Amino acid sequence: MSKKISVINGSNLNMLGRREKDIYGNLSLDETNKRITDKFHGRAEIIFFQSNHEGSVIDYIHSLPQTGVKCIVINAAAWTHTSIAIRDALLSISLPFIEVHISNVYRREEFRKLSFLSDCAEGVITGLGIQGYEFAVQYFIDKMEAK
Ligand code: DQA
């Protein structure tokens, strides 16, 4: 399938469904990913990656152009607010990306309002729960189908 999209999750997102459920909800990361896979079955190939290690995420991002991935949906979690290295990795491969946050980062602590990614992102979705991933994937599929 030519429409290949990568969904990347950063630190602590493997704890979805167990971590701060009032903020992040009850679904695990596997369940979240399955929902996305099922929803877009037959329309795009979606590849999932999660790591708690910043360098692993950077290495993974660097590998993407060789895999045929055309666009990225990324929840960089806490690294959003701290990591120039993840920003630079994304810029180094020149693939369009959408920044997703499950929670509304603007309603939370001050430090979550800073993003090292937003100004380079094609768009930002924050506060719409795990549906945010689906909206981002849908956007990229629509865009690729329009070409
Ligand atoms: C998050 C928001 C971040 O501030 C936080 O560090 C996360 C998750 C979200 O999805 O709402 O780990 O990216």
Side-chain angles (χ1 to χ4, degrees):
M1 199 176 298
S2 59
K3 290 187 230 77
K4 218 166 168 179
I5 302 172
S6 174
V7 177
I8 303 175
N9 279 288
S11 46
N12 299 303
L13 289 167
N14 59 309
M15 297 297 287
L16 282 184
R18 285 176 284 167
R19 118 185 236 221
E20 299 174 278
K21 290 184 185 184
D22 49 324
I23 298 177
Y24 299 113
N26 294 316
L27 280 198
S28 69
L29 185 60
D30 282 349
E31 288 165 339
T32 301
N33 291 348
K34 187 176 179 314
R35 245 179 77 142
I36 299 168
T37 305
D38 290 350
K39 186 165 177 125
F40 297 105
H41 179 74
R43 292 190 63 203
E45 184 182 345
I46 304 167
I47 299 161
F48 298 95
F49 181 81
Q50 189 277 331
S51 179
N52 295 320
H53 304 278
E54 191 175 1
S56 302
V57 174
I58 292 168
D59 288 342
Y60 176 72
I61 290 170
H62 291 167
S63 76
L64 287 177
Q66 286 81 56
T67 65
V69 161
K70 297 285 184 283
C71 40
I72 299 168
V73 174
I74 182 164
N75 183 347
W79 293 320
T80 308
H81 321 299
T82 61
S83 179
I84 297 169
I86 290 196
R87 173 195 176 94
D88 286 348
L90 287 163
L91 290 177
S92 77
I93 58 161
S94 306
L95 290 180
F97 70 90
I98 295 178
E99 174 185 343
V100 169
H101 300 286
I102 297 166
S103 65
N104 181 346
V105 288
Y106 297 103
R107 274 198 188 155
R108 301 180 63 192
E109 301 94 329
E110 247 346 268
F111 61 80
R112 292 187 207 276
K113 293 180 184 159
L114 170 67
S115 168
F116 282 105
L117 307 183
S118 298
D119 66 307
C120 309
E122 181 133 345
V124 179
I125 300 173
T126 184
L128 303 185
I130 61 155
Q131 266 188 293
Y133 295 103
E134 297 173 359
F135 294 141
V137 169
Q138 179 73 64
Y139 169 86
F140 277 134
I141 291 176
D142 289 348
K143 196 174 161 190
M144 288 189 274
E145 283 178 351
K147 276 195 181 158

PDB file of all heavy atoms in Angstrom, residues 9-13 16 19-20 23-24 74-81 99-105 108-109 111-114 125-127 129 133, ligand 1:
ATOM      1  N   ASN A   9       4.846   7.312  19.505  1.00  0.00           N
ATOM      2  CA  ASN A   9       4.528   7.726  20.876  1.00  0.00           C
ATOM      3  C   ASN A   9       5.795   7.742  21.722  1.00  0.00           C
ATOM      4  O   ASN A   9       6.590   6.796  21.692  1.00  0.00           O
ATOM      5  CB  ASN A   9       3.506   6.770  21.493  1.00  0.00           C
ATOM      6  CG  ASN A   9       2.097   7.103  21.048  1.00  0.00           C
ATOM      7  OD1 ASN A   9       1.537   8.106  21.484  1.00  0.00           O
ATOM      8  ND2 ASN A   9       1.544   6.298  20.161  1.00  0.00           N
ATOM      9  N   GLY A  10       5.937   8.797  22.488  1.00  0.00           N
ATOM     10  CA  GLY A  10       7.125   8.960  23.318  1.00  0.00           C
ATOM     11  C   GLY A  10       6.941   8.442  24.737  1.00  0.00           C
ATOM     12  O   GLY A  10       6.087   7.588  25.019  1.00  0.00           O
ATOM     13  N   SER A  11       7.737   8.987  25.603  1.00  0.00           N
ATOM     14  CA  SER A  11       7.905   8.485  26.965  1.00  0.00           C
ATOM     15  C   SER A  11       6.595   8.370  27.745  1.00  0.00           C
ATOM     16  O   SER A  11       5.740   9.255  27.683  1.00  0.00           O
ATOM     17  CB  SER A  11       8.849   9.416  27.739  1.00  0.00           C
ATOM     18  OG  SER A  11       8.475  10.760  27.523  1.00  0.00           O
ATOM     19  N   ASN A  12       6.485   7.280  28.453  1.00  0.00           N
ATOM     20  CA  ASN A  12       5.377   6.975  29.373  1.00  0.00           C
ATOM     21  C   ASN A  12       4.048   6.651  28.691  1.00  0.00           C
ATOM     22  O   ASN A  12       3.082   6.304  29.357  1.00  0.00           O
ATOM     23  CB  ASN A  12       5.157   8.120  30.390  1.00  0.00           C
ATOM     24  CG  ASN A  12       6.379   8.337  31.252  1.00  0.00           C
ATOM     25  OD1 ASN A  12       6.830   7.411  31.908  1.00  0.00           O
ATOM     26  ND2 ASN A  12       6.931   9.542  31.235  1.00  0.00           N
ATOM     27  N   LEU A  13       4.008   6.747  27.372  1.00  0.00           N
ATOM     28  CA  LEU A  13       2.736   6.468  26.706  1.00  0.00           C
ATOM     29  C   LEU A  13       2.468   4.962  26.602  1.00  0.00           C
ATOM     30  O   LEU A  13       1.343   4.545  26.332  1.00  0.00           O
ATOM     31  CB  LEU A  13       2.654   7.180  25.361  1.00  0.00           C
ATOM     32  CG  LEU A  13       2.503   8.700  25.573  1.00  0.00           C
ATOM     33  CD1 LEU A  13       2.750   9.464  24.272  1.00  0.00           C
ATOM     34  CD2 LEU A  13       1.136   9.067  26.141  1.00  0.00           C
ATOM     35  N   LEU A  16      -0.396   4.042  28.983  1.00  0.00           N
ATOM     36  CA  LEU A  16      -1.801   4.416  28.759  1.00  0.00           C
ATOM     37  C   LEU A  16      -2.730   3.332  29.298  1.00  0.00           C
ATOM     38  O   LEU A  16      -2.447   2.136  29.150  1.00  0.00           O
ATOM     39  CB  LEU A  16      -2.089   4.617  27.269  1.00  0.00           C
ATOM     40  CG  LEU A  16      -1.642   5.923  26.617  1.00  0.00           C
ATOM     41  CD1 LEU A  16      -2.110   5.959  25.169  1.00  0.00           C
ATOM     42  CD2 LEU A  16      -2.121   7.136  27.381  1.00  0.00           C
ATOM     43  N   ARG A  19      -1.954   4.863  33.581  1.00  0.00           N
ATOM     44  CA  ARG A  19      -1.378   6.105  34.095  1.00  0.00           C
ATOM     45  C   ARG A  19      -2.440   7.204  34.131  1.00  0.00           C
ATOM     46  O   ARG A  19      -3.169   7.378  33.136  1.00  0.00           O
ATOM     47  CB  ARG A  19      -0.196   6.457  33.190  1.00  0.00           C
ATOM     48  CG  ARG A  19      -0.263   7.738  32.431  1.00  0.00           C
ATOM     49  CD  ARG A  19       0.884   7.963  31.481  1.00  0.00           C
ATOM     50  NE  ARG A  19       1.527   9.224  31.783  1.00  0.00           N
ATOM     51  CZ  ARG A  19       1.953  10.069  30.871  1.00  0.00           C
ATOM     52  NH1 ARG A  19       1.851   9.802  29.592  1.00  0.00           N
ATOM     53  NH2 ARG A  19       2.513  11.183  31.238  1.00  0.00           N
ATOM     54  N   GLU A  20      -2.564   7.930  35.227  1.00  0.00           N
ATOM     55  CA  GLU A  20      -3.443   9.110  35.325  1.00  0.00           C
ATOM     56  C   GLU A  20      -4.673   8.988  34.412  1.00  0.00           C
ATOM     57  O   GLU A  20      -4.871   9.798  33.507  1.00  0.00           O
ATOM     58  CB  GLU A  20      -2.641  10.368  34.982  1.00  0.00           C
ATOM     59  CG  GLU A  20      -1.477  10.617  35.928  1.00  0.00           C
ATOM     60  CD  GLU A  20      -0.610  11.785  35.465  1.00  0.00           C
ATOM     61  OE1 GLU A  20       0.260  11.570  34.586  1.00  0.00           O
ATOM     62  OE2 GLU A  20      -0.797  12.901  35.977  1.00  0.00           O
ATOM     63  N   ILE A  23      -6.832  11.802  33.196  1.00  0.00           N
ATOM     64  CA  ILE A  23      -6.287  12.678  32.153  1.00  0.00           C
ATOM     65  C   ILE A  23      -6.191  11.941  30.813  1.00  0.00           C
ATOM     66  O   ILE A  23      -6.562  12.469  29.768  1.00  0.00           O
ATOM     67  CB  ILE A  23      -4.879  13.198  32.543  1.00  0.00           C
ATOM     68  CG1 ILE A  23      -4.966  14.029  33.822  1.00  0.00           C
ATOM     69  CG2 ILE A  23      -4.252  14.016  31.406  1.00  0.00           C
ATOM     70  CD1 ILE A  23      -3.613  14.514  34.324  1.00  0.00           C
ATOM     71  N   TYR A  24      -5.715  10.694  30.862  1.00  0.00           N
ATOM     72  CA  TYR A  24      -5.380  10.001  29.604  1.00  0.00           C
ATOM     73  C   TYR A  24      -6.355   8.887  29.208  1.00  0.00           C
ATOM     74  O   TYR A  24      -6.197   8.298  28.138  1.00  0.00           O
ATOM     75  CB  TYR A  24      -3.948   9.433  29.695  1.00  0.00           C
ATOM     76  CG  TYR A  24      -2.903  10.515  29.891  1.00  0.00           C
ATOM     77  CD1 TYR A  24      -2.173  10.604  31.084  1.00  0.00           C
ATOM     78  CD2 TYR A  24      -2.663  11.458  28.902  1.00  0.00           C
ATOM     79  CE1 TYR A  24      -1.219  11.605  31.271  1.00  0.00           C
ATOM     80  CE2 TYR A  24      -1.716  12.467  29.083  1.00  0.00           C
ATOM     81  CZ  TYR A  24      -0.995  12.525  30.263  1.00  0.00           C
ATOM     82  OH  TYR A  24      -0.061  13.517  30.435  1.00  0.00           O
ATOM     83  N   ILE A  74       2.886  12.299  15.651  1.00  0.00           N
ATOM     84  CA  ILE A  74       3.764  12.085  16.816  1.00  0.00           C
ATOM     85  C   ILE A  74       3.198  12.715  18.082  1.00  0.00           C
ATOM     86  O   ILE A  74       2.802  13.888  18.089  1.00  0.00           O
ATOM     87  CB  ILE A  74       5.207  12.604  16.548  1.00  0.00           C
ATOM     88  CG1 ILE A  74       6.116  12.321  17.759  1.00  0.00           C
ATOM     89  CG2 ILE A  74       5.247  14.075  16.154  1.00  0.00           C
ATOM     90  CD1 ILE A  74       7.610  12.438  17.473  1.00  0.00           C
ATOM     91  N   ASN A  75       3.122  11.882  19.122  1.00  0.00           N
ATOM     92  CA  ASN A  75       2.906  12.382  20.468  1.00  0.00           C
ATOM     93  C   ASN A  75       4.255  12.201  21.172  1.00  0.00           C
ATOM     94  O   ASN A  75       4.586  11.102  21.630  1.00  0.00           O
ATOM     95  CB  ASN A  75       1.798  11.602  21.181  1.00  0.00           C
ATOM     96  CG  ASN A  75       1.509  12.175  22.560  1.00  0.00           C
ATOM     97  OD1 ASN A  75       2.282  12.996  23.078  1.00  0.00           O
ATOM     98  ND2 ASN A  75       0.409  11.756  23.154  1.00  0.00           N
ATOM     99  N   ALA A  76       5.017  13.270  21.225  1.00  0.00           N
ATOM    100  CA  ALA A  76       6.366  13.188  21.804  1.00  0.00           C
ATOM    101  C   ALA A  76       6.320  13.267  23.332  1.00  0.00           C
ATOM    102  O   ALA A  76       7.373  13.268  23.982  1.00  0.00           O
ATOM    103  CB  ALA A  76       7.250  14.285  21.235  1.00  0.00           C
ATOM    104  N   ALA A  77       5.093  13.327  23.884  1.00  0.00           N
ATOM    105  CA  ALA A  77       4.902  13.330  25.339  1.00  0.00           C
ATOM    106  C   ALA A  77       5.776  14.416  25.986  1.00  0.00           C
ATOM    107  O   ALA A  77       5.856  15.531  25.458  1.00  0.00           O
ATOM    108  CB  ALA A  77       5.140  11.941  25.894  1.00  0.00           C
ATOM    109  N   ALA A  78       6.438  14.093  27.068  1.00  0.00           N
ATOM    110  CA  ALA A  78       7.195  15.126  27.797  1.00  0.00           C
ATOM    111  C   ALA A  78       8.325  15.732  26.954  1.00  0.00           C
ATOM    112  O   ALA A  78       8.711  16.878  27.160  1.00  0.00           O
ATOM    113  CB  ALA A  78       7.755  14.532  29.082  1.00  0.00           C
ATOM    114  N   TRP A  79       8.826  14.945  25.972  1.00  0.00           N
ATOM    115  CA  TRP A  79       9.916  15.473  25.132  1.00  0.00           C
ATOM    116  C   TRP A  79       9.463  16.663  24.284  1.00  0.00           C
ATOM    117  O   TRP A  79      10.291  17.441  23.833  1.00  0.00           O
ATOM    118  CB  TRP A  79      10.469  14.373  24.216  1.00  0.00           C
ATOM    119  CG  TRP A  79      11.178  13.296  24.970  1.00  0.00           C
ATOM    120  CD1 TRP A  79      12.002  13.464  26.045  1.00  0.00           C
ATOM    121  CD2 TRP A  79      11.131  11.894  24.719  1.00  0.00           C
ATOM    122  NE1 TRP A  79      12.458  12.243  26.468  1.00  0.00           N
ATOM    123  CE2 TRP A  79      11.948  11.268  25.673  1.00  0.00           C
ATOM    124  CE3 TRP A  79      10.474  11.109  23.770  1.00  0.00           C
ATOM    125  CZ2 TRP A  79      12.130   9.882  25.720  1.00  0.00           C
ATOM    126  CZ3 TRP A  79      10.644   9.737  23.808  1.00  0.00           C
ATOM    127  CH2 TRP A  79      11.470   9.140  24.776  1.00  0.00           C
ATOM    128  N   THR A  80       8.144  16.754  24.072  1.00  0.00           N
ATOM    129  CA  THR A  80       7.602  17.924  23.362  1.00  0.00           C
ATOM    130  C   THR A  80       8.135  19.206  23.992  1.00  0.00           C
ATOM    131  O   THR A  80       8.486  20.163  23.291  1.00  0.00           O
ATOM    132  CB  THR A  80       6.059  17.950  23.513  1.00  0.00           C
ATOM    133  OG1 THR A  80       5.534  16.699  23.125  1.00  0.00           O
ATOM    134  CG2 THR A  80       5.447  19.089  22.724  1.00  0.00           C
ATOM    135  N   HIS A  81       8.168  19.192  25.317  1.00  0.00           N
ATOM    136  CA  HIS A  81       8.468  20.419  26.073  1.00  0.00           C
ATOM    137  C   HIS A  81       9.953  20.579  26.373  1.00  0.00           C
ATOM    138  O   HIS A  81      10.360  21.583  26.957  1.00  0.00           O
ATOM    139  CB  HIS A  81       7.696  20.407  27.403  1.00  0.00           C
ATOM    140  CG  HIS A  81       6.303  19.859  27.287  1.00  0.00           C
ATOM    141  ND1 HIS A  81       5.347  20.439  26.486  1.00  0.00           N
ATOM    142  CD2 HIS A  81       5.703  18.768  27.846  1.00  0.00           C
ATOM    143  CE1 HIS A  81       4.218  19.734  26.569  1.00  0.00           C
ATOM    144  NE2 HIS A  81       4.417  18.714  27.384  1.00  0.00           N
ATOM    145  N   GLU A  99       1.583  17.074  15.402  1.00  0.00           N
ATOM    146  CA  GLU A  99       1.837  16.898  16.841  1.00  0.00           C
ATOM    147  C   GLU A  99       0.498  16.627  17.533  1.00  0.00           C
ATOM    148  O   GLU A  99      -0.438  17.407  17.374  1.00  0.00           O
ATOM    149  CB  GLU A  99       2.468  18.200  17.368  1.00  0.00           C
ATOM    150  CG  GLU A  99       2.658  18.241  18.867  1.00  0.00           C
ATOM    151  CD  GLU A  99       3.166  19.617  19.331  1.00  0.00           C
ATOM    152  OE1 GLU A  99       3.671  20.421  18.511  1.00  0.00           O
ATOM    153  OE2 GLU A  99       3.019  19.885  20.537  1.00  0.00           O
ATOM    154  N   VAL A 100       0.449  15.526  18.257  1.00  0.00           N
ATOM    155  CA  VAL A 100      -0.789  15.155  18.951  1.00  0.00           C
ATOM    156  C   VAL A 100      -0.537  15.090  20.453  1.00  0.00           C
ATOM    157  O   VAL A 100       0.518  14.614  20.896  1.00  0.00           O
ATOM    158  CB  VAL A 100      -1.310  13.777  18.454  1.00  0.00           C
ATOM    159  CG1 VAL A 100      -2.430  13.248  19.342  1.00  0.00           C
ATOM    160  CG2 VAL A 100      -1.794  13.870  17.016  1.00  0.00           C
ATOM    161  N   HIS A 101      -1.499  15.582  21.223  1.00  0.00           N
ATOM    162  CA  HIS A 101      -1.516  15.356  22.673  1.00  0.00           C
ATOM    163  C   HIS A 101      -2.910  14.895  23.062  1.00  0.00           C
ATOM    164  O   HIS A 101      -3.905  15.470  22.604  1.00  0.00           O
ATOM    165  CB  HIS A 101      -1.161  16.632  23.448  1.00  0.00           C
ATOM    166  CG  HIS A 101       0.195  17.132  23.093  1.00  0.00           C
ATOM    167  ND1 HIS A 101       1.334  16.510  23.537  1.00  0.00           N
ATOM    168  CD2 HIS A 101       0.584  18.145  22.288  1.00  0.00           C
ATOM    169  CE1 HIS A 101       2.388  17.131  23.030  1.00  0.00           C
ATOM    170  NE2 HIS A 101       1.961  18.122  22.264  1.00  0.00           N
ATOM    171  N   ILE A 102      -2.953  13.895  23.901  1.00  0.00           N
ATOM    172  CA  ILE A 102      -4.242  13.367  24.362  1.00  0.00           C
ATOM    173  C   ILE A 102      -4.945  14.401  25.232  1.00  0.00           C
ATOM    174  O   ILE A 102      -6.133  14.670  25.089  1.00  0.00           O
ATOM    175  CB  ILE A 102      -4.013  12.050  25.145  1.00  0.00           C
ATOM    176  CG1 ILE A 102      -3.411  10.997  24.198  1.00  0.00           C
ATOM    177  CG2 ILE A 102      -5.303  11.551  25.781  1.00  0.00           C
ATOM    178  CD1 ILE A 102      -2.829   9.780  24.902  1.00  0.00           C
ATOM    179  N   SER A 103      -4.206  14.981  26.143  1.00  0.00           N
ATOM    180  CA  SER A 103      -4.766  16.001  27.034  1.00  0.00           C
ATOM    181  C   SER A 103      -4.601  17.383  26.389  1.00  0.00           C
ATOM    182  O   SER A 103      -3.810  17.560  25.455  1.00  0.00           O
ATOM    183  CB  SER A 103      -4.035  15.974  28.380  1.00  0.00           C
ATOM    184  OG  SER A 103      -2.674  16.350  28.210  1.00  0.00           O
ATOM    185  N   ASN A 104      -5.370  18.337  26.912  1.00  0.00           N
ATOM    186  CA  ASN A 104      -5.213  19.722  26.455  1.00  0.00           C
ATOM    187  C   ASN A 104      -4.061  20.348  27.247  1.00  0.00           C
ATOM    188  O   ASN A 104      -4.227  20.739  28.400  1.00  0.00           O
ATOM    189  CB  ASN A 104      -6.505  20.500  26.683  1.00  0.00           C
ATOM    190  CG  ASN A 104      -6.382  21.931  26.199  1.00  0.00           C
ATOM    191  OD1 ASN A 104      -5.275  22.417  25.935  1.00  0.00           O
ATOM    192  ND2 ASN A 104      -7.505  22.616  26.096  1.00  0.00           N
ATOM    193  N   VAL A 105      -2.904  20.419  26.605  1.00  0.00           N
ATOM    194  CA  VAL A 105      -1.702  20.864  27.326  1.00  0.00           C
ATOM    195  C   VAL A 105      -1.814  22.325  27.777  1.00  0.00           C
ATOM    196  O   VAL A 105      -1.122  22.743  28.707  1.00  0.00           O
ATOM    197  CB  VAL A 105      -0.417  20.666  26.482  1.00  0.00           C
ATOM    198  CG1 VAL A 105      -0.069  19.191  26.372  1.00  0.00           C
ATOM    199  CG2 VAL A 105      -0.535  21.289  25.095  1.00  0.00           C
ATOM    200  N   ARG A 108      -3.180  22.804  31.432  1.00  0.00           N
ATOM    201  CA  ARG A 108      -2.436  22.127  32.491  1.00  0.00           C
ATOM    202  C   ARG A 108      -1.308  23.024  33.006  1.00  0.00           C
ATOM    203  O   ARG A 108      -1.410  24.243  32.948  1.00  0.00           O
ATOM    204  CB  ARG A 108      -1.955  20.769  31.968  1.00  0.00           C
ATOM    205  CG  ARG A 108      -3.119  19.876  31.518  1.00  0.00           C
ATOM    206  CD  ARG A 108      -2.651  18.532  30.997  1.00  0.00           C
ATOM    207  NE  ARG A 108      -1.978  17.767  32.050  1.00  0.00           N
ATOM    208  CZ  ARG A 108      -1.274  16.661  31.820  1.00  0.00           C
ATOM    209  NH1 ARG A 108      -1.177  16.192  30.578  1.00  0.00           N
ATOM    210  NH2 ARG A 108      -0.686  16.025  32.813  1.00  0.00           N
ATOM    211  N   GLU A 109      -0.246  22.423  33.491  1.00  0.00           N
ATOM    212  CA  GLU A 109       0.845  23.219  34.059  1.00  0.00           C
ATOM    213  C   GLU A 109       1.469  24.117  32.984  1.00  0.00           C
ATOM    214  O   GLU A 109       1.469  23.781  31.808  1.00  0.00           O
ATOM    215  CB  GLU A 109       1.946  22.311  34.624  1.00  0.00           C
ATOM    216  CG  GLU A 109       1.505  21.354  35.709  1.00  0.00           C
ATOM    217  CD  GLU A 109       1.122  19.973  35.166  1.00  0.00           C
ATOM    218  OE1 GLU A 109       0.630  19.873  34.016  1.00  0.00           O
ATOM    219  OE2 GLU A 109       1.296  18.995  35.919  1.00  0.00           O
ATOM    220  N   PHE A 111       4.525  24.631  32.218  1.00  0.00           N
ATOM    221  CA  PHE A 111       5.626  24.072  31.423  1.00  0.00           C
ATOM    222  C   PHE A 111       5.153  23.253  30.224  1.00  0.00           C
ATOM    223  O   PHE A 111       5.917  23.028  29.287  1.00  0.00           O
ATOM    224  CB  PHE A 111       6.587  23.235  32.304  1.00  0.00           C
ATOM    225  CG  PHE A 111       5.955  22.046  32.978  1.00  0.00           C
ATOM    226  CD1 PHE A 111       5.750  20.860  32.293  1.00  0.00           C
ATOM    227  CD2 PHE A 111       5.574  22.115  34.319  1.00  0.00           C
ATOM    228  CE1 PHE A 111       5.184  19.747  32.920  1.00  0.00           C
ATOM    229  CE2 PHE A 111       4.995  21.017  34.956  1.00  0.00           C
ATOM    230  CZ  PHE A 111       4.793  19.837  34.255  1.00  0.00           C
ATOM    231  N   ARG A 112       3.876  22.842  30.242  1.00  0.00           N
ATOM    232  CA  ARG A 112       3.369  22.070  29.104  1.00  0.00           C
ATOM    233  C   ARG A 112       2.964  22.965  27.934  1.00  0.00           C
ATOM    234  O   ARG A 112       2.634  22.489  26.849  1.00  0.00           O
ATOM    235  CB  ARG A 112       2.190  21.185  29.528  1.00  0.00           C
ATOM    236  CG  ARG A 112       2.592  20.080  30.466  1.00  0.00           C
ATOM    237  CD  ARG A 112       1.454  19.117  30.746  1.00  0.00           C
ATOM    238  NE  ARG A 112       1.646  18.498  32.041  1.00  0.00           N
ATOM    239  CZ  ARG A 112       2.407  17.417  32.256  1.00  0.00           C
ATOM    240  NH1 ARG A 112       3.014  16.813  31.267  1.00  0.00           N
ATOM    241  NH2 ARG A 112       2.549  16.932  33.479  1.00  0.00           N
ATOM    242  N   LYS A 113       2.971  24.274  28.156  1.00  0.00           N
ATOM    243  CA  LYS A 113       2.580  25.189  27.068  1.00  0.00           C
ATOM    244  C   LYS A 113       3.708  25.413  26.078  1.00  0.00           C
ATOM    245  O   LYS A 113       3.492  25.930  24.991  1.00  0.00           O
ATOM    246  CB  LYS A 113       2.121  26.527  27.657  1.00  0.00           C
ATOM    247  CG  LYS A 113       0.835  26.379  28.440  1.00  0.00           C
ATOM    248  CD  LYS A 113       0.362  27.687  29.017  1.00  0.00           C
ATOM    249  CE  LYS A 113      -0.868  27.431  29.873  1.00  0.00           C
ATOM    250  NZ  LYS A 113      -1.116  28.485  30.841  1.00  0.00           N
ATOM    251  N   LEU A 114       4.922  25.041  26.477  1.00  0.00           N
ATOM    252  CA  LEU A 114       6.057  25.183  25.563  1.00  0.00           C
ATOM    253  C   LEU A 114       6.180  23.912  24.723  1.00  0.00           C
ATOM    254  O   LEU A 114       6.217  22.817  25.262  1.00  0.00           O
ATOM    255  CB  LEU A 114       7.351  25.403  26.357  1.00  0.00           C
ATOM    256  CG  LEU A 114       8.645  25.337  25.538  1.00  0.00           C
ATOM    257  CD1 LEU A 114       8.729  26.503  24.563  1.00  0.00           C
ATOM    258  CD2 LEU A 114       9.863  25.335  26.457  1.00  0.00           C
ATOM    259  N   ILE A 125      -2.841  18.874  17.416  1.00  0.00           N
ATOM    260  CA  ILE A 125      -4.136  18.469  17.978  1.00  0.00           C
ATOM    261  C   ILE A 125      -3.903  18.182  19.454  1.00  0.00           C
ATOM    262  O   ILE A 125      -3.087  17.327  19.801  1.00  0.00           O
ATOM    263  CB  ILE A 125      -4.688  17.213  17.279  1.00  0.00           C
ATOM    264  CG1 ILE A 125      -4.890  17.482  15.783  1.00  0.00           C
ATOM    265  CG2 ILE A 125      -5.993  16.769  17.930  1.00  0.00           C
ATOM    266  CD1 ILE A 125      -5.277  16.240  14.969  1.00  0.00           C
ATOM    267  N   THR A 126      -4.617  18.885  20.303  1.00  0.00           N
ATOM    268  CA  THR A 126      -4.391  18.710  21.742  1.00  0.00           C
ATOM    269  C   THR A 126      -5.713  18.733  22.490  1.00  0.00           C
ATOM    270  O   THR A 126      -6.560  19.591  22.233  1.00  0.00           O
ATOM    271  CB  THR A 126      -3.399  19.781  22.267  1.00  0.00           C
ATOM    272  OG1 THR A 126      -3.125  19.525  23.650  1.00  0.00           O
ATOM    273  CG2 THR A 126      -3.892  21.205  22.118  1.00  0.00           C
ATOM    274  N   GLY A 127      -5.923  17.723  23.341  1.00  0.00           N
ATOM    275  CA  GLY A 127      -7.099  17.741  24.216  1.00  0.00           C
ATOM    276  C   GLY A 127      -8.290  16.957  23.703  1.00  0.00           C
ATOM    277  O   GLY A 127      -9.336  16.952  24.348  1.00  0.00           O
ATOM    278  N   GLY A 129      -8.397  13.716  23.333  1.00  0.00           N
ATOM    279  CA  GLY A 129      -8.254  12.312  23.723  1.00  0.00           C
ATOM    280  C   GLY A 129      -7.558  11.526  22.622  1.00  0.00           C
ATOM    281  O   GLY A 129      -6.889  12.109  21.751  1.00  0.00           O
ATOM    282  N   TYR A 133      -5.319  11.154  17.525  1.00  0.00           N
ATOM    283  CA  TYR A 133      -4.483  10.375  16.601  1.00  0.00           C
ATOM    284  C   TYR A 133      -5.272  10.078  15.321  1.00  0.00           C
ATOM    285  O   TYR A 133      -4.739  10.125  14.219  1.00  0.00           O
ATOM    286  CB  TYR A 133      -4.075   9.038  17.228  1.00  0.00           C
ATOM    287  CG  TYR A 133      -3.186   9.108  18.449  1.00  0.00           C
ATOM    288  CD1 TYR A 133      -3.700   8.911  19.728  1.00  0.00           C
ATOM    289  CD2 TYR A 133      -1.817   9.335  18.330  1.00  0.00           C
ATOM    290  CE1 TYR A 133      -2.891   8.940  20.854  1.00  0.00           C
ATOM    291  CE2 TYR A 133      -0.992   9.362  19.438  1.00  0.00           C
ATOM    292  CZ  TYR A 133      -1.530   9.167  20.699  1.00  0.00           C
ATOM    293  OH  TYR A 133      -0.729   9.195  21.801  1.00  0.00           O
TER     294      TYR A 133
HETATM  295  C1  DQA B   1       0.967  14.405  26.561  1.00  0.00           C
HETATM  296  C2  DQA B   1       1.111  15.710  27.335  1.00  0.00           C
HETATM  297  C3  DQA B   1       2.516  15.869  27.846  1.00  0.00           C
HETATM  298  O1  DQA B   1       2.639  17.098  28.536  1.00  0.00           O
HETATM  299  C4  DQA B   1       2.841  14.735  28.795  1.00  0.00           C
HETATM  300  O2  DQA B   1       4.172  14.853  29.243  1.00  0.00           O
HETATM  301  C5  DQA B   1       2.569  13.408  28.232  1.00  0.00           C
HETATM  302  C6  DQA B   1       1.405  13.213  27.381  1.00  0.00           C
HETATM  303  C7  DQA B   1      -0.479  14.132  26.115  1.00  0.00           C
HETATM  304  O3  DQA B   1      -0.658  13.261  25.289  1.00  0.00           O
HETATM  305  O4  DQA B   1      -1.405  14.787  26.590  1.00  0.00           O
HETATM  306  O5  DQA B   1       3.253  12.448  28.544  1.00  0.00           O
HETATM  307  O6  DQA B   1       1.765  14.483  25.390  1.00  0.00           O
END
